[in-house]
Amino acid sequence: MTMTDTGVKPIPAYTPPADGKPRSMVDAKWMKLTRSARHYMERRAKARKEPSDGPEARR
């Protein structure tokens, strides 16, 4: 198989600031997304434990 150059550039990975403080709005956005993703499974487990009153409780 022959590979040709298609002009596709790799996307650099985001690295958070070393001191943990956002430097810009981009840092603040990614830090918020990372934090929410980290606790996703905990939130799902908590939601499963809470009793619901059936379909009426969702509205």
Side-chain angles (χ1 to χ4, degrees), residues 13-43:
Y14 173 76
T15 55
D19 60 0
K21 297 178 183 175
R23 295 180 300 250
S24 63
M25 294 298 289
V26 173
D27 282 344
K29 171 190 163 186
W30 282 105
M31 291 171 84
K32 181 179 178 182
L33 289 171
T34 302
R35 195 169 32 251
S36 66
R38 189 179 311 136
H39 299 294
Y40 174 77
M41 293 306 290
E42 294 172 14
R43 289 193 313 270

Side-chain angles (χ1 to χ4, degrees), residues 5-21:
D5 184 22
T6 59
V8 177
K9 296 179 182 178
I11 299 172
Y14 173 76
T15 55
D19 60 0
K21 297 178 183 175

